[in-house]
């Protein structure tokens, strides 16, 4: 959170300016304040604003300008007050922050250019160009402990009892409350005995009792459908994420492979990570 801004009024949407503001001489390098001789520039303010949480982004420009400037002035004064007094922990934390930021800059450039229409099409074709259509089944079942119980229920259904009502009354699994409905499934999603029975049925049929490790089932096949491969538009977001990740991983590997790296600390006791007292020495 930004203290100087957090004390201002609630966010208000800005009206779009009719005319773009005129940059001062020096542009981003224009000095907006000095603190004991240390310059704070317009660029510093622009960067800070760009990284504000969303709820602050919508504050009016005049409130943001004053809040950000106050923030940077305060930070500069506070930073100067501890110059020469920073600890080893402070120094290492700043080095980690700098390393992490620059690493992010390097990877952002890679991720930003990785996703193109051609890359999306290539990734889509690799996944789905030769994908076969999948047959899906919509079924319900009644699960009981014994074959005799299943046969009695089957006789009642044959005599006119509604399958869903019999499932609510007799089935022992969680689907009973929904009339035994199992939803849509395809090859490999059910245990073999159950799947084989469904694949041999016609729509509307109720099976003879089928035994699995769960007990005895009566199965009603409600309908089937052919599921085609998703379209490129359906997969665009997922494929873009995969492309970015692959590009980032490849870039990291190429950079680290080209670097001269030594790891003399690999033999250190991992428990040393918890020893904060080392930072006080």
């Amino acid at each position: 959170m930004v203290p100087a801004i957090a004390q201002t009024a609630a966010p208000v949407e800005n009206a779009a300016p009719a005319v773009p503001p005129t940059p001062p001489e020096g542009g981003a390098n224009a000095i907006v304040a000095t603190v004991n001789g240390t310059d704070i520039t317009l660029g510093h303010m622009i960067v800070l604003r760009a990284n504000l949480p969303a709820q602050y982004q919508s504050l009016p420009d005049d409130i943001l300008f004053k809040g950000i400037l106050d923030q940077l002035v305060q930070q500069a004064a506070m930073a100067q007050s501890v110059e020469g007094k920073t600890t080893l922990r402070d120094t290492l934390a700043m080095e980690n922050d700098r390393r992490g930021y620059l690493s992010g800059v390097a990877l952002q450039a890679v991720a930003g250019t990785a996703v193109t229409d051609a890359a999306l099409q290539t990734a889509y074709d690799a996944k789905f160009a030769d994908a076969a259509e999948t047959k899906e089944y919509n079924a319900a079942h009644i699960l009981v402990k014994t074959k005799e119980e299943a046969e009695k229920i089957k006789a009642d259904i044959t005599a006119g009892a509604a399958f869903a009502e019999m499932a609510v009354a007799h089935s022992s699994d969680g689907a009973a409350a929904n009339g035994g409905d199992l939803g849509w499934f395809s090859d490999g999603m059910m245990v073999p005995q159950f799947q084989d029975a469904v694949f041999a049925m016609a729509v509307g049929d109720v099976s003879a009792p089928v035994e699995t490790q769960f007990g005895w089932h009566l199965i009603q096949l409600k309908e089937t459908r052919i599921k085609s491969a998703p379209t490129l538009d359906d997969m665009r977001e997922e494929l873009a994420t995969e492309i970015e990740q692959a590009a980032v991983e490849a870039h990291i590997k190429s950079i680290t492979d080209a670097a001269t790296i030594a790891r003399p600390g690999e033999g250190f006791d991992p428990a040393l990570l918890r020893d904060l007292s080392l930072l006080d020495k």
Side-chain angles (χ1 to χ4, degrees):
M1 182 173 289
V2 184
I5 297 174
Q7 300 171 7
T8 62
V12 177
E13 291 294 335
N14 287 333
V19 179
T22 302
E25 185 177 350
N29 292 320
I31 297 172
V32 292
T34 59
V35 181
N36 296 323
T38 298
D39 292 337
I40 297 172
T41 68
L42 178 60
H44 288 126
M45 297 183 67
I46 293 171
V47 169
L48 196 155
R49 184 199 181 282
N51 291 317
L52 285 175
Q55 65 266 34
Y56 295 119
Q57 297 277 358
S58 59
L59 284 168
D61 289 340
D62 56 342
I63 292 177
L64 271 178
F65 193 95
K66 182 180 185 308
I68 289 173
L69 183 56
D70 288 347
Q71 173 84 6
L72 289 172
V73 166
Q74 292 165 10
Q75 287 178 343
M78 294 299 292
Q80 291 170 7
S81 74
V82 295
E83 285 182 1
K85 304 175 186 177
T86 53
T87 65
L88 176 60
R89 180 186 301 193
D90 299 328
T91 300
L92 296 176
M94 288 187 287
E95 290 177 357
N96 280 344
D97 287 345
R98 182 178 185 276
R99 187 182 300 114
Y101 177 81
L102 292 178
S103 175
V105 169
L107 295 180
Q108 185 177 21
V110 173
T113 58
V115 180
T116 64
D117 288 342
L120 285 167
Q121 188 65 57
T122 298
Y124 176 82
D125 290 343
K127 277 194 170 187
F128 300 108
D130 299 323
E133 292 182 330
T134 302
K135 188 173 184 178
E136 294 188 317
Y137 303 81
N138 187 1
H141 80 145
I142 300 170
L143 177 63
V144 293
K145 291 183 178 179
T146 67
K147 182 179 182 181
E148 291 73 22
E149 187 178 1
E151 288 175 336
K152 182 177 183 307
I153 295 170
K154 173 68 181 294
D156 290 340
I157 293 171
T158 301
F163 189 97
E165 292 178 1
M166 298 299 285
V168 171
H170 299 286
S171 189
S172 62
D173 81 330
N178 295 320
D181 184 31
L182 296 172
W184 289 96
F185 57 90
S186 56
D187 188 8
M189 296 176 65
M190 297 293 181
V191 294
Q193 304 94 320
F194 190 100
Q195 175 176 291
D196 291 346
V198 170
F199 288 2
M201 295 170 65
V203 172
D205 283 353
V206 175
S207 73
V210 176
E211 185 180 19
T212 72
Q213 67 262 43
F214 304 108
W216 288 86
H217 307 256
L218 292 175
I219 306 168
Q220 181 186 53
L221 180 58
K222 296 180 175 182
E223 56 181 322
T224 64
R225 68 185 180 189
I226 300 298
K227 184 179 180 181
S228 301
T231 66
L232 176 56
D233 282 341
D234 292 335
M235 296 299 299
R236 187 175 299 275
E237 186 173 338
E238 180 179 329
L239 291 173
T241 299
E242 293 176 0
I243 291 168
E244 286 183 359
Q245 183 176 347
V248 164
E249 291 175 355
H251 188 67
I252 291 172
K253 186 177 186 306
S254 69
I255 294 298
T256 53
D257 284 352
T260 301
I261 300 171
R263 300 175 185 264
E266 282 191 331
F268 292 175
D269 186 339
L272 288 167
L273 284 174
R274 298 195 301 270
D275 190 357
L276 295 177
S277 68
L278 289 173
L279 300 178
D280 299 327
K281 297 178 180 179

